[in-house]
């Protein structure tokens, strides 16, 4: 067994991590800035904004900025849990590895399953959005509506989508160095275009260019002004989705310089950049066009699922507006590529610890990447998107709605794992009490509450596309069905890999030694 070298930190007592295995990934490939960029890219801020600004405004009205802050809170609390667990066990399996060590193999396996399934769903959606914007941009550049309409051709759409997935898989396959180069450019483009949009939206608001525009009010920052708890929960679920993906910083911990501390710092930097971008864009857009459901209002049902497509021309003009299309395409494409990082490394870790077939534990000898796991993720994404698109667009839409359930599931488990794993240290200092116990526990409780509320809401056929299965909302059937499928796969895997499930490979333990580079 290959093991990480460990030494006790001066302030720590001896703690056992002899079951933590090295995996052959390229050490020192990513620094602090590169890690933060990967986290921002995986979240895809421009893509998230164009797809959720309108929906959030439709749920909570002018309280949209307040809900963005409310969604940031549990993510920040969970980020503290990730940081502390990474200091103790900087393993690329992240949530899977940590929950196994805290709660045992079965809960840990299901946590890993939740992460993998959530990522496959997001990858397929990102590929679909990137495809749509590719043809939309092509139509804008050529001035041809027939070119833009190619996206409506199902076979052309699927072929383009599969091509983008293949390209993203190939880049991720070649390693973190290739990933960084692409991401610096794409993330930089996103943030610059967002800054231009915010500046021009504020200018339009100041000039009163649109009848639906609003004057800024500090009341927008008050979450208690939302009309109902149901509306607040729906808005909060959308907001949580907008932050999902920052934990990609932690999935590269075995490849990061200063693996015990750098990924945690990078995740916090990414979170600050994201919340700043969301607040600035949301406030500027609301001031410019308002949150109503008429005209350019953000909640207009005809444009709410793709706000930037409606606002690009009116706010930025015909020339600069094309940059917004480019930014959305870049955002989806960048996230499509980096989102392979956490799923491939989670599968690598699960295979290394004998929780999945051993074939996925192989690392490419030249690129130092989990080659087979990356290709598997690409194939699974392409197959999932193709099947869902051919079966029904409603099914694909409802699968995306079910994503929030998966996110809350594995994030809350990780947060609870932190508090339990470090339970023996919580009385050692005020810092340990809050950062290892109180904050993670509170974050886990908040996300668990959203999980349960979403589960109840999903039962209603009106949730999502409105489709039903035997009178039950299809979003509920898909969300719960994917978790039940995970249980079935776990039981089959247990028969083939009994040692892991007997707790003989990755053990429940007291807190581990701090791993130093």
């Amino acid at each position: 067994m290959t093991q990480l070298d460990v030494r006790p930190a001066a302030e720590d007592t001896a703690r056992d991590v002899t079951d933590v295995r090295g995996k052959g990934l390229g050490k020192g490939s990513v620094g602090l800035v590169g890690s933060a960029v990967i986290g921002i890219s995986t979240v895809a801020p421009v893509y998230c904004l164009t797809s959720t600004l309108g929906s959030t405004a439709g749920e909570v009205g002018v309280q949209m900025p307040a809900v963005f802050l409310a969604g940031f809170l549990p993510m920040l609390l969970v980020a503290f849990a990730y940081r502390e667990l990474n200091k103790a066990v900087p393993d690329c399996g992240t949530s899977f590895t940590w929950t196994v060590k805290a709660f045992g193999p079965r809960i840990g396996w299901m946590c890993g399953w939740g992460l993998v399934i959530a990522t496959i769903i997001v990858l397929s959606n990102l590929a679909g959005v990137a495809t749509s914007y590719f043809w939309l941009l092509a139509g804008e550049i050529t001035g041809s509506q027939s070119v833009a309409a190619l996206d409506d051709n199902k076979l052309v759409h699927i072929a383009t989508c599969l091509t983008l997935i293949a390209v993203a898989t190939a880049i991720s396959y070649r390693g973190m160095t290739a990933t960084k180069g692409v991401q610096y450019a794409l993330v930089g483009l996103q943030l610059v275009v967002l800054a231009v949009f915010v500046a021009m939206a504020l200018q339009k608001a100041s000039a009163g260019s649109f009848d639906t525009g609003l004057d800024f009010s500090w009341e927008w920052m008050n979450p208690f002004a939302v009309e109902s708890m149901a509306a607040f929960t729906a808005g909060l679920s959308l907001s949580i989705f907008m932050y999902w993906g920052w934990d990609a910083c932690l999935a590269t911990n075995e490849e990061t310089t200063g693996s015990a501390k750098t990924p945690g710092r990078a995740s916090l930097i990414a979170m600050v950049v994201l919340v700043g971008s969301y607040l600035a864009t949301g406030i500027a857009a609301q001031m410019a066009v308002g949150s109503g459901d008429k005209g350019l209002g953000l909640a207009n049902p005809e444009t709410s699922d793709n706000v930037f497509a409606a606002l690009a021309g009116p706010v930025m003009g015909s020339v600069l507006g094309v940059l917004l299309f480019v930014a959305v395409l870049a955002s989806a494409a960048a996230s499509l590529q980096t989102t392979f990082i956490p799923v491939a490394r989670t599968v690598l870790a699960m295979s290394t610890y004998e929780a999945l077939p051993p074939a996925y534990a192989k690392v490419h000898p030249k690129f130092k990447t989990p080659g087979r796991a990356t290709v598997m993720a690409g194939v699974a994404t392409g197959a999932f998107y193709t099947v869902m698109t051919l079966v029904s667009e409603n099914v694909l839409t409802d699968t995306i709605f079910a994503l929030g359930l998966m996110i809350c599931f594995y994030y809350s488990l990780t947060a609870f794992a932190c508090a339990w794993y470090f339970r023996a240290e919580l009385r050692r200092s005020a810092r340990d009490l809050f950062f290892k116990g109180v904050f993670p526990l509170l974050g886990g409780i908040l996300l668990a509450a959203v999980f349960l509320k979403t589960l109840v809401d999903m039962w209603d056929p009106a949730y999502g596309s409105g489709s039903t299965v035997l009178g039950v909302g299809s979003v509920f059937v898909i969300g719960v069905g994917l978790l039940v499928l995970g249980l079935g796969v776990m039981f089959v895997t247990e028969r083939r890999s009994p040692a892991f499930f007997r707790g003989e490979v990755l053990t429940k333990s007291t807190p581990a030694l701090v791993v130093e580079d």
Side-chain angles (χ1 to χ4, degrees), residues 157-247:
H157 180 92
I158 291 174
T160 307
C161 187
L162 293 179
T163 300
L164 291 175
I165 291 171
V167 171
T169 303
I171 295 174
S172 296
Y173 186 88
R174 291 182 61 84
M176 297 304 298
T177 302
T179 297
K180 282 194 304 180
V182 174
Q183 293 308 317
Y184 279 129
L186 295 180
V187 169
L189 173 65
Q190 289 182 66
L191 296 180
V192 168
V193 173
L194 271 185
V196 173
F197 174 83
V198 168
M200 297 191 75
L202 290 175
Q203 187 274 325
K204 296 287 185 180
S206 176
S209 300
F210 307 112
D211 294 338
T212 55
L214 300 171
D215 292 329
F216 174 78
S217 170
W218 286 107
E219 185 67 14
W220 295 357
M221 313 302 287
N222 179 15
F224 299 104
V226 178
E227 293 184 357
S228 69
M229 180 57 68
F232 178 77
T233 303
L236 185 62
S237 181
L238 289 167
S239 179
I240 287 173
F241 165 72
M242 291 178 69
Y243 292 104
W244 178 76
W246 55 266
D247 50 313

